[in-house]
Amino acid sequence: LVLHEENHYWFSPYVTQTEKTKIKIASKLKYSTKLLPEEKKGDIITYGPYKKHTPFSYSQCLLHFENNKPFITINRCSRLIEVSHWGNIAIEEKYQVTHDGAKFTGEFNRYDMQINPFGVKAAVPSFRVYLPISASDVYYRDDIGNVTTSNLRNSTTKQILDLRPRFTLFGGWKTLFTLGYNVPIYTFMSRLVSNGDTYVLNVTFTPEWDGAIVIDEQVTQIVLPEGASDIQVSLPFPVKEVRGRMYTYVDTNTIGRPTITLSKTNLVNEHCQYFIVTYKYSFLNLFIEPALLVGFFFIFFCIVIVLSRIQLQIGGKEEKNDLDMANLKSLRNIYDTREELHQKLDEALNQYLETKDEKKWQKDKKDIDNSFKELSKKVTKEIRHPNLVLKQIEDSQIVKEKLQLELHQLLIKYKSKLTTSESLALEVAIEIVMHKLWDSEEDIDLLIFQLQN
């Protein structure tokens, strides 16, 4: 139920000879004040005609009737208009919307709502917003994330966006969401022919909604490009204006982007009017941000080049090379000793294959193994601060020694009495081990060459 207050008479500073007032109500009338003559016909009440009433006459007219239409109130709308002379205007609107109709009482049952979604006439399932015909990259989200329940379609002069919140709004309920889109700069921007550095921005103060909407507080902020000056604002109605500056990613701390914040309370659809912002902006200011980016990366790479050439070790590069060469010389002496031990092992093996003296073979093999262990300890002791290549050389040498031992064992088996098939299998295994041994020797030679150069 709503209560409408009106004047029976035409409020005028002049004498009114005759008048008649017709009021059309939304639904069934519960109560109305009487002032004869009056006539009630359907949803229309006719007062009058009244004749010859004095100036500023007043007679209270009260109408009490049902109204099931929703009462949507935008408690606060924050509108951000960001201008970029690279060809785009970004608009973002943050809403806090409340259904100010009769408050919902009792418990909400979603099952009943799904069975009869149109049973509650005062509920608000969606909103309709009108966007410019050239709007693109439209997004609709809330604190949870992106809201996919929306429908965007084109008409002849504008785009129609139907926003469906995550839940139907009943009396006393509210919702918060964000709506944003981009438009080409030529849609709302023009340049004065008489002065090429003067630009004119022409946009609406409030967003355009469908139906009767009340906005308790509207805040519209215009962010102009860095370097804009001589800013003037012209509006068709009085507002509160605050000037400031905004600093984003590549803006300089000394300049920043000029901002104009316009705020007003108690607005209706009729306040959706265009206002004008004029300012001066030099074409050369477009290249400030690219120059800053180029300068930043140039300095960054210069720093990287300088740091890469700085020697952070206590010893210089020549001292490090001398140490590597000394280590390599020690390794060569150790490897020569290892080669002599391998030759002795080959001689002992050949002697064993001829004489079949097992005790002498085991004694010679044990002595040579002890010599190998002593050489391994010598490597750890004499090689100071080994680099990665030296470690790889040592690892390859160890692999080579294991392959030589494996080859000796295969040769011993091959000289024993075997069948033809066993001999063939051992010949294949010996050939595979010999190939691996050759590859290991090539790896060692390659690593030594890499270390020398």
Side-chain angles (χ1 to χ4, degrees), residues 189-207:
M189 178 75 71
S190 60
R191 185 171 62 176
L192 295 182
V193 178
S194 59
N195 189 349
D197 290 340
T198 302
Y199 294 86
V200 179
L201 177 67
N202 191 14
V203 292
T204 58
F205 182 71
T206 64

Side-chain angles (χ1 to χ4, degrees), residues 4 41 57 59 132 198 240 271 301 339 389 401 415 444:
H4 176 73
K41 188 175 182 180
S57 297
S59 175
T198 302
K240 181 181 178 181
H271 286 94
F301 287 119
E339 290 297 330
V389 179
E401 291 176 359
K415 294 296 183 178
I444 293 174

Side-chain angles (χ1 to χ4, degrees), residues 111-272:
Y111 176 73
D112 294 338
M113 184 68 186
Q114 291 177 344
I115 292 177
N116 188 11
F118 302 102
V120 183
K121 297 180 180 180
V124 181
S126 63
F127 314 112
R128 175 166 293 182
V129 183
Y130 298 112
L131 305 181
I133 190 65
S134 58
S136 62
D137 303 328
V138 181
Y139 59 89
Y140 166 44
R141 61 172 180 257
D142 57 11
D143 292 338
I144 299 176
N146 185 47
V147 184
T148 58
T149 52
S150 61
N151 181 26
L152 180 65
R153 61 186 186 277
N154 290 331
S155 65
T156 56
T157 58
K158 60 187 70 176
Q159 295 190 50
I160 302 173
L161 178 61
D162 291 325
L163 305 176
R164 183 178 294 274
R166 296 186 184 273
F167 50 87
T168 301
L169 283 186
F170 291 91
W173 292 16
K174 67 178 181 179
T175 182
L176 295 90
F177 61 89
T178 301
L179 172 64
Y181 55 92
N182 295 320
V183 292
I185 193 170
Y186 62 80
T187 307
F188 299 120
M189 178 75 71
S190 60
R191 185 171 62 176
L192 295 182
V193 178
S194 59
N195 189 349
D197 290 340
T198 302
Y199 294 86
V200 179
L201 177 67
N202 191 14
V203 292
T204 58
F205 182 71
T206 64
E208 185 179 0
W209 280 51
D210 181 58
I213 300 295
V214 176
I215 302 177
D216 290 340
E217 182 183 9
Q218 172 71 38
V219 178
T220 301
Q221 185 179 36
I222 303 97
V223 181
L224 299 178
E226 188 175 21
S229 60
D230 296 338
I231 303 169
Q232 297 180 2
V233 182
S234 176
L235 290 100
F237 41 79
V239 297
K240 181 181 178 181
E241 179 180 340
V242 177
R243 301 283 180 99
R245 291 192 177 274
M246 176 185 290
Y247 301 94
T248 55
Y249 304 106
V250 290
D251 295 335
T252 59
N253 292 331
T254 56
I255 302 177
R257 300 188 182 187
T259 61
I260 307 145
T261 304
L262 309 174
S263 58
K264 187 176 177 61
T265 58
N266 297 327
L267 295 95
V268 291
N269 297 55
E270 285 71 16
H271 286 94
C272 184

Side-chain angles (χ1 to χ4, degrees), residues 86 225-229 255 280-290:
W86 290 100
E226 188 175 21
S229 60
I255 302 177
K280 290 184 178 181
Y281 184 75
S282 175
F283 179 75
L284 297 177
N285 289 329
L286 278 175
F287 302 100
I288 292 178
E289 292 183 359

Side-chain angles (χ1 to χ4, degrees), residues 371-389:
S371 299
F372 275 124
K373 292 179 181 179
E374 292 295 329
L375 284 177
S376 299
K377 294 179 181 179
K378 190 176 181 180
V379 170
T380 307
K381 182 178 179 181
E382 294 189 7
I383 303 302
R384 296 174 298 161
H385 308 293
N387 59 17
L388 181 61
V389 179

Side-chain angles (χ1 to χ4, degrees), residues 167-441:
F167 50 87
T168 301
L169 283 186
F170 291 91
W173 292 16
K174 67 178 181 179
T175 182
L176 295 90
F177 61 89
T178 301
L179 172 64
Y181 55 92
N182 295 320
V183 292
I185 193 170
Y186 62 80
T187 307
F188 299 120
M189 178 75 71
S190 60
R191 185 171 62 176
L192 295 182
V193 178
S194 59
N195 189 349
D197 290 340
T198 302
Y199 294 86
V200 179
L201 177 67
N202 191 14
V203 292
T204 58
F205 182 71
T206 64
E208 185 179 0
W209 280 51
D210 181 58
I213 300 295
V214 176
I215 302 177
D216 290 340
E217 182 183 9
Q218 172 71 38
V219 178
T220 301
Q221 185 179 36
I222 303 97
V223 181
L224 299 178
E226 188 175 21
S229 60
D230 296 338
I231 303 169
Q232 297 180 2
V233 182
S234 176
L235 290 100
F237 41 79
V239 297
K240 181 181 178 181
E241 179 180 340
V242 177
R243 301 283 180 99
R245 291 192 177 274
M246 176 185 290
Y247 301 94
T248 55
Y249 304 106
V250 290
D251 295 335
T252 59
N253 292 331
T254 56
I255 302 177
R257 300 188 182 187
T259 61
I260 307 145
T261 304
L262 309 174
S263 58
K264 187 176 177 61
T265 58
N266 297 327
L267 295 95
V268 291
N269 297 55
E270 285 71 16
H271 286 94
C272 184
Q273 301 181 32
Y274 284 89
F275 68 97
I276 295 175
V277 178
T278 59
Y279 61 93
K280 290 184 178 181
Y281 184 75
S282 175
F283 179 75
L284 297 177
N285 289 329
L286 278 175
F287 302 100
I288 292 178
E289 292 183 359
L292 288 174
L293 290 175
V294 172
F296 170 78
F297 283 108
F298 176 76
I299 295 173
F300 172 76
F301 287 119
C302 287
I303 293 173
V304 172
I305 292 172
V306 172
L307 291 178
S308 64
R309 294 177 181 272
I310 295 176
Q311 182 60 259
L312 300 178
Q313 296 181 351
I314 297 176
K317 187 175 182 180
E318 294 181 357
E319 182 180 348
K320 182 176 181 297
N321 291 336
D322 294 340
L323 180 61
D324 289 341
M325 296 308 296
N327 289 332
L328 180 61
K329 185 176 180 181
S330 300
L331 275 179
R332 280 188 175 277
N333 295 332
I334 293 171
Y335 293 156
D336 291 340
T337 307
R338 279 176 170 169
E339 290 297 330
E340 293 176 0
L341 292 175
H342 281 299
Q343 290 179 2
K344 290 181 180 180
L345 186 62
D346 291 338
E347 292 175 359
L349 177 63
N350 292 330
Q351 188 178 3
Y352 167 70
L353 293 174
E354 292 176 0
T355 62
K356 303 296 183 180
D357 189 352
E358 181 72 25
K359 291 183 179 180
K360 190 174 186 308
W361 160 248
Q362 292 296 336
K363 181 178 178 301
D364 293 340
K365 183 180 177 183
K366 183 177 180 181
D367 294 340
I368 294 172
D369 289 340
N370 291 333
S371 299
F372 275 124
K373 292 179 181 179
E374 292 295 329
L375 284 177
S376 299
K377 294 179 181 179
K378 190 176 181 180
V379 170
T380 307
K381 182 178 179 181
E382 294 189 7
I383 303 302
R384 296 174 298 161
H385 308 293
N387 59 17
L388 181 61
V389 179
L390 289 172
K391 290 181 180 179
Q392 291 177 346
I393 293 174
E394 177 63 19
D395 293 340
S396 299
Q397 185 65 29
I398 293 173
V399 172
K400 178 183 175 182
E401 291 176 359
K402 291 182 179 179
L403 290 173
Q404 287 177 332
L405 292 175
E406 184 180 355
L407 180 62
H408 292 159
Q409 293 175 358
L410 291 173
L411 289 173
I412 292 173
K413 290 182 181 180
Y414 185 74
K415 294 296 183 178
S416 61
K417 295 181 179 180
L418 298 172
T419 61
T420 304
S421 60
E422 291 175 343
S423 298
L424 290 175
L426 280 174
E427 289 177 358
V428 173
I430 290 171
E431 185 175 357
I432 292 173
V433 172
M434 291 183 66
H435 279 291
K436 290 182 179 180
L437 191 59
W438 294 336
D439 292 339
S440 177
E441 291 176 351

